[in-house]
Amino acid sequence: MSEFKYDKKVTIREIVEFFKFEQLTGDSHALDRWTVVPDINRPGFELCGFYKMTEPRRIVLIGNKESEFIRTMSEADQRARFPMLMDGLTPAIIITRSNEVPPILAELAKANNFPILRTSLETYRTVTDIITYLDEKLAPEDTMSGVLLNVYGKGVLLTGESGMGKSETALELIKRGQVLISDDRVDVQHIHNHVYGHSPSITKGLMEIRGIGIIDVEKMFGASALMDSARIDLVIHLESYETQPDFNRIGDEAERFTSILNVLVPTVTLPISAGRNVAVLVESAVTNFRLQEAGYNSADELRRRFREYSGGKDGNK
C-alpha cells in the first residue's frame, strides 16, 4: 500500500463547490468529510469482495464499468459489499456520466448520511481533474529565504547570505523587464514532480530595499512586473568572491543541484564582488541555462575547438 503524509486535507464540500457536482445523498454535514490522499479508487476488486491492500481514504469513483458490474450483482452481495465502500474513512462516492445511483447503494448511503455525488463528465476526465485538483491542494509546502523571479520565461530563485544584494539585483532585473513573484520569503509547493513558488499574501508585490524601505512594485513598474506564481526551474546562489576564490571559469564542472521538497533543481553559483553587474550576470546565466536545455553547451564547444586546433597543428608538423 502507498504511504502518504497526512499533513493537509480537503473537504468534500470544497470539491463539490469547485467542480459543481450534484449531491445525491447526505445532508450538509456529510460534506464535512475530508480526504488526505491525492488519488481515486475505482472499486472493481472491492465490488468482487476483495478488500486487502485498499487505501480507505481515497474517494471512490463509479464509472460505466462499475455500474454495469453492479447490475450483475445479487442483492445480497450488494448489501454485503456496499457498506465496505462507505466506511468511516471513505470521503465520498462519485458517479460519472450521469449514471443512475444503484438503489441499494442510495438506500445505505441515506441511512448513514454518506455523500454520493454525480457528474456528467466522462470517467477518465473526472479522474484526471480530481487527482490534479487534490495534488495541488495537498501538495507538500515549505518556506525558503530568497527572491523568486521570472527571467526570460524561467522561474529563477535567487539565494545567498543576507547582504548579498538579492533584492537590489531583483529590482534591477524588474527595471530590465523581468517579473517578480516574491521577495525575501518564498512559499514553495511540490506539485506534479516540480516545485512551484509564490509569495505570502502579506508581502505580495512588496520589496524591501536597504536605505529606501518598502516599495510597491506594481505601483512603481505596473501590473506586468508581477506574477502570482512560477515553477522554479533554476536556483542562482549569490556568493562572495572572498569565501570561495577558486570559482570554475569554464563551466565544465558536474551539474549542481539544490534539493527543494525532494526535487533537485539545477543550481548556478555566481561570485559577487564590487563592480560586477549582477543583474546582467543573472540574465546571462538564465540564457546559458536555456541553451543547455536545448542541447548546446559552451564548454563542450570550447573543447571541440581545442581538439580541432590541436589536430590541425599536429597535422602541420
Side-chain angles (χ1 to χ4, degrees), residues 163-220:
M164 292 304 299
K166 298 186 294 294
S167 295
E168 289 80 0
T169 299
L171 183 61
E172 177 63 24
L173 287 166
I174 293 168
K175 290 178 63 179
R176 297 169 65 90
Q178 312 303 345
V179 183
L180 175 72
I181 289 94
S182 184
D183 177 58
D184 188 50
R185 176 184 142 183
V186 181
D187 291 345
V188 294
Q189 289 181 293
H190 181 177
I191 303 174
H192 309 322
N193 298 321
H194 296 287
V195 178
Y196 292 80
H198 63 273
S199 173
S201 58
I202 194 170
T203 58
K204 183 177 179 180
L206 303 178
M207 296 182 69
E208 178 190 356
I209 305 297
R210 285 181 175 85
I212 297 177
I214 304 299
I215 66 171
D216 188 316
V217 173
E218 183 175 1
K219 290 289 194 297
M220 293 183 67

Side-chain angles (χ1 to χ4, degrees), residues 28 52 60 62 70 111 142 186 192 205 215 260-261:
S28 179
K52 189 177 180 180
V60 173
I62 296 178
I70 289 171
D142 200 357
V186 181
H192 309 322
I215 66 171
I260 305 176
L261 294 174

Side-chain angles (χ1 to χ4, degrees), residues 40-58:
I40 288 291
N41 178 27
R42 296 194 65 180
F45 286 110
E46 289 83 351
L47 292 174
C48 293
F50 184 83
Y51 300 98
K52 189 177 180 180
M53 303 298 289
T54 294
E55 168 55 74
R57 297 173 179 85
R58 291 182 295 173

Side-chain angles (χ1 to χ4, degrees), residues 45-295:
F45 286 110
E46 289 83 351
L47 292 174
C48 293
F50 184 83
Y51 300 98
K52 189 177 180 180
M53 303 298 289
T54 294
E55 168 55 74
R57 297 173 179 85
R58 291 182 295 173
I59 293 173
V60 173
L61 191 143
I62 296 178
N64 279 349
K65 288 190 294 185
E66 292 82 4
S67 295
E68 287 298 323
F69 182 78
I70 289 171
R71 292 188 182 97
T72 71
M73 294 172 62
S74 67
E75 179 176 340
D77 283 344
Q78 291 185 46
R79 291 192 179 278
R81 296 168 188 172
F82 285 163
M84 299 295 291
L85 299 180
M86 297 183 288
D87 64 13
L89 294 178
T90 304
I93 292 175
I94 299 176
I95 296 177
T96 63
R97 299 181 68 93
S98 298
N99 284 319
E100 292 298 321
V101 58
I104 295 176
L105 183 64
E107 173 194 328
L108 295 173
K110 290 174 182 177
N112 292 280
N113 195 28
F114 182 88
I116 296 179
L117 314 173
R118 183 162 60 188
T119 176
S120 61
L121 293 175
E122 295 179 337
T123 303
Y124 82 91
R125 175 56 61 193
T126 305
V127 170
T128 301
D129 289 350
I130 291 179
I131 290 178
T132 299
Y133 174 81
L134 292 177
D135 204 16
E136 295 179 2
K137 285 287 188 177
L138 300 172
E141 293 184 325
D142 200 357
T143 297
M144 298 187 66
S145 176
V147 182
L148 181 60
L149 302 112
N150 182 294
V151 180
Y152 296 141
K154 295 294 181 181
V156 178
L157 179 65
L158 299 182
T159 63
E161 296 296 326
S162 179
M164 292 304 299
K166 298 186 294 294
S167 295
E168 289 80 0
T169 299
L171 183 61
E172 177 63 24
L173 287 166
I174 293 168
K175 290 178 63 179
R176 297 169 65 90
Q178 312 303 345
V179 183
L180 175 72
I181 289 94
S182 184
D183 177 58
D184 188 50
R185 176 184 142 183
V186 181
D187 291 345
V188 294
Q189 289 181 293
H190 181 177
I191 303 174
H192 309 322
N193 298 321
H194 296 287
V195 178
Y196 292 80
H198 63 273
S199 173
S201 58
I202 194 170
T203 58
K204 183 177 179 180
L206 303 178
M207 296 182 69
E208 178 190 356
I209 305 297
R210 285 181 175 85
I212 297 177
I214 304 299
I215 66 171
D216 188 316
V217 173
E218 183 175 1
K219 290 289 194 297
M220 293 183 67
F221 300 102
S224 61
L226 286 178
M227 286 179 62
D228 290 333
S229 65
R231 192 177 88 183
I232 300 178
D233 301 298
L234 179 67
V235 173
I236 296 182
H237 184 70
L238 307 184
E239 188 170 317
S240 172
Y241 253 125
E242 299 176 359
T243 61
Q244 187 178 337
D246 297 325
F247 285 93
N248 184 272
R249 301 183 63 180
I250 299 178
D252 59 349
E253 289 183 342
E255 191 172 6
R256 296 181 178 181
F257 298 91
T258 298
S259 179
I260 305 176
L261 294 174
N262 295 320
V263 176
L264 296 179
V265 181
T267 300
V268 173
T269 299
L270 286 183
I272 303 302
S273 64
R276 299 200 93 192
N277 190 325
V278 184
V280 170
L281 293 176
V282 169
E283 290 182 334
S284 299
V286 174
T287 301
N288 192 54
F289 173 70
R290 294 180 64 183
L291 287 171
Q292 290 174 346
E293 283 190 319

Side-chain angles (χ1 to χ4, degrees), residues 2-54:
S2 300
E3 294 185 2
F4 296 90
K5 286 183 64 179
Y6 305 126
D7 297 327
K8 303 164 70 175
K9 62 184 181 182
V10 176
T11 66
I12 299 305
R13 187 184 313 279
E14 292 176 83
I15 294 172
V16 169
E17 292 175 352
F18 184 83
F19 290 103
K20 308 302 181 186
F21 288 150
E22 177 187 4
Q23 184 178 355
L24 301 176
T25 63
D27 60 17
S28 179
H29 294 295
L31 299 182
D32 292 333
R33 285 176 172 256
W34 40 264
T35 182
V36 293
V37 181
D39 198 5
I40 288 291
N41 178 27
R42 296 194 65 180
F45 286 110
E46 289 83 351
L47 292 174
C48 293
F50 184 83
Y51 300 98
K52 189 177 180 180
M53 303 298 289
T54 294

